[in-house]
Amino acid sequence: MEKRELVCVACPLGCGITVTLGDSGEVLDVTGNTCKRGDAYARSECTAPTRSLTTTVRVEGGKAYVVPVKSAGPVPKGMMFDCMKVINEASIKAPVKIGDVVIKNILGTGVDIVATNNAE
Amino acid sequence: MTNFDLAVVGGGPAGMAAALKAHEEGIEKIVVLERAETLGGILEQCIHTGFGLHYFGEELSGPEYAGRFIKLLENTNIVVKTDTMVLDIAEDNTVTAVNKTDGLLKISAKAVVLAMGCRERPRGALSIAGSRGSGIMTAGTAQKYVNIDGYMPGHEVVILGSGDIGLIMARRMTLEGAKVKMVCELMPYSGGLTRNIVQCLEDFNIPLKLSTTVVATHGKDRLEGVTIAKVDEKLQPIKGTEEYVPCDTLMLSVGLIPENELSKNAGLTLDRITNGPKVDEYRETEHKGVFACGNVLQVHDLVDYVTEESQIAGLGAAKFIKGEKISGDCIETCGINGVRYIVPQRINRETDTDVKLYFRVGAVFKNAAIVVEANGETILSKKKKKLCPGEMEYVLIKKDVIANLPKDSVITVRVEA
């Protein structure tokens, strides 16, 4: 048995969470969280950690140089830099609307990269 | 002279929420005056997520959060003037502004909401020895370079100050391929949210050096390195602990200052701790009909709280315009024993609303209680697992409790360790 102390990043409250792990790394118990999102975060953090990714994509033919984007859902933590590489090689033609899909299913993660602002 | 019921100075999250709330309350003629080309304020460059969890119940990026309010605003008859700089607010609430299309604008308003936000403490406010080569900038300036202008201001970065903007930029620069060598923090604790230390520093193995500051910058035309040093309990650099760190960029995240030039010119006195105007429970300043909200009033950690506060100011302004706002004997509030300040600074005794007292503590406290007292009696006591200066706290005081307090009472809030 192993106990792991985490700080939840699901929201700005930052609850301290204690996770009890079994010998093969399975989650036995989660305490200290104050909501369901905290429980989910703790379980995923100890088994397959993920993060949402926010960055910018180059805009072509518009007034703006770049438009902010986010991963529509969390991507595996270990793939953040690989995703960045793909995003930095991409570009999108103006005009862009909030919610436009910039890259579909990035690196086979099943997660889309979507615009988070309008760009003329 | 153009006549409006309400003039809102600033079109960031505070100004937009105040204007929308007043509109909702039936105020007809509202104008929002914004210095930048677009509405949204600083949220436009805050492309990371974490906004809106309290207010919308979902996690949004800065531009998305602002976008929701911009959309609401566009569906009203609220007049928005962007690229417009407010120059003066006169005694009679006449607002003077200037822009390219209207030239000089004179706006006569029944009420004014101040929502100018804040700006970053610059290098000049710190005493760091060294030349003024390029590569030294505030974290917010770097954020604009990367997220709006689309270019990288440097490759090897040291960040001074562990406020949220500094932490967010540590991650942002790392994701874009820069090497962030360390974040130095003068205090023995971080001023940023714990979640940001985890997901912006720990995720990328960026060291956070507490009780450490930058004492010198090196390099003539471009920054070549900085000297860091440990500091003692009086925050003074300790001789012999100096260390040279090569870098081409120094980012400063060393505090935010409410932008109150207009307020000061209008004769408002500022709270010495918040650097914002002193206000009552509806965020009305000492000047009748002039309200303040958002970061111009007190620096917030979460935009959700800015929205909440600005809706209070918008409601207050609407009540004032309709002649329904209570204004009479006030009870003062005061933070003592670990509580640095309280907003609002005064409460009308006959107020028609329960009042949240917002405050920050001056140090980290664990397993402490927040005690609210008036006239030697405890109004309420609330246990807290953890209190830290980086996170704003509040206590709710019921209006009946306020009404029952004698004239000239003072409500104090303190930490009981």
Side-chain angles (χ1 to χ4, degrees), chain A residues 24 28 33 46-47 52 54 61 73 75 79 81 84 88 100-101 110 116:
Chain A
S24 48
L28 299 176
N33 57 301
C46 292
T47 49
S52 353
T54 56
V75 295
M79 285 179 76
F81 284 100
M84 279 299 294
N88 277 343
D100 282 0
V101 175
T116 57

Side-chain angles (χ1 to χ4, degrees), chain A residues 9 51 55 70 88 117, chain B residues 44 63-64 172 176 195 203:
Chain A
V9 301
R51 293 287 183 271
T55 178
K70 70 174 178 187
N88 277 343
N117 206 353
Chain B
E44 293 295 301
E64 288 174 309
R172 184 75 187 108
E176 289 292 355
R195 86 190 289 239
D203 270 10

Side-chain angles (χ1 to χ4, degrees), chain B residues 204-381:
Chain B
F204 302 101
N205 299 316
I206 300 169
L208 171 60
K209 291 184 179 284
L210 298 173
S211 298
T212 303
T213 192
V214 171
V215 290
T217 61
H218 308 278
K220 196 165 161 265
D221 297 323
R222 175 81 199 191
L223 187 70
E224 288 166 10
V226 298
T227 302
I228 62 166
K230 287 256 159 216
V231 297
D232 61 22
E233 280 157 22
K234 288 179 183 151
L235 308 179
Q236 295 304 308
I238 303 169
K239 272 218 160 65
T241 63
E242 293 90 353
E243 190 188 326
Y244 180 77
V245 184
C247 62
D248 61 14
T249 307
L250 173 65
M251 289 183 190
L252 305 173
S253 174
V254 291
L256 300 167
I257 309 163
E259 200 167 332
N260 271 304
E261 278 65 25
L262 282 172
S263 326
K264 277 191 264 183
N265 282 343
L268 295 176
T269 42
L270 303 186
D271 182 307
R272 278 170 55 202
I273 306 293
T274 60
N275 284 315
K278 293 182 177 177
V279 292
D280 73 3
E281 74 278 15
Y282 277 110
R283 307 301 185 266
E284 187 177 17
T285 67
E286 291 165 329
H287 196 141
K288 270 211 178 311
V290 178
F291 296 75
C293 56
N295 282 350
V296 81
L297 180 62
Q298 58 173 334
V299 176
H300 294 68
D301 323 310
L302 301 180
V303 70
D304 304 66
Y305 292 164
V306 168
T307 300
E308 188 184 17
E309 179 173 87
S310 306
Q311 288 173 336
I312 296 172
L315 176 60
K319 280 177 182 274
F320 179 85
I321 293 163
K322 291 189 272 189
E324 294 166 6
K325 183 166 180 301
I326 289 156
S327 131
D329 287 344
C330 282
I331 284 165
E332 283 190 32
T333 63
C334 180
I336 53 170
N337 290 9
V339 174
R340 292 189 62 222
Y341 72 82
I342 294 171
V343 170
Q345 287 84 353
R346 64 179 198 279
I347 304 168
N348 284 287
R349 266 179 79 214
E350 289 165 23
T351 189
D352 55 1
T353 175
D354 296 341
V355 180
K356 278 185 185 171
L357 302 180
Y358 289 89
F359 62 90
R360 277 181 201 277
V361 293
V364 178
F365 296 93
K366 282 190 176 160
N367 297 317
I370 295 161
V371 182
V372 185
E373 291 159 322
N375 301 317
E377 279 180 42
T378 303
I379 296 175
L380 70 91
S381 172

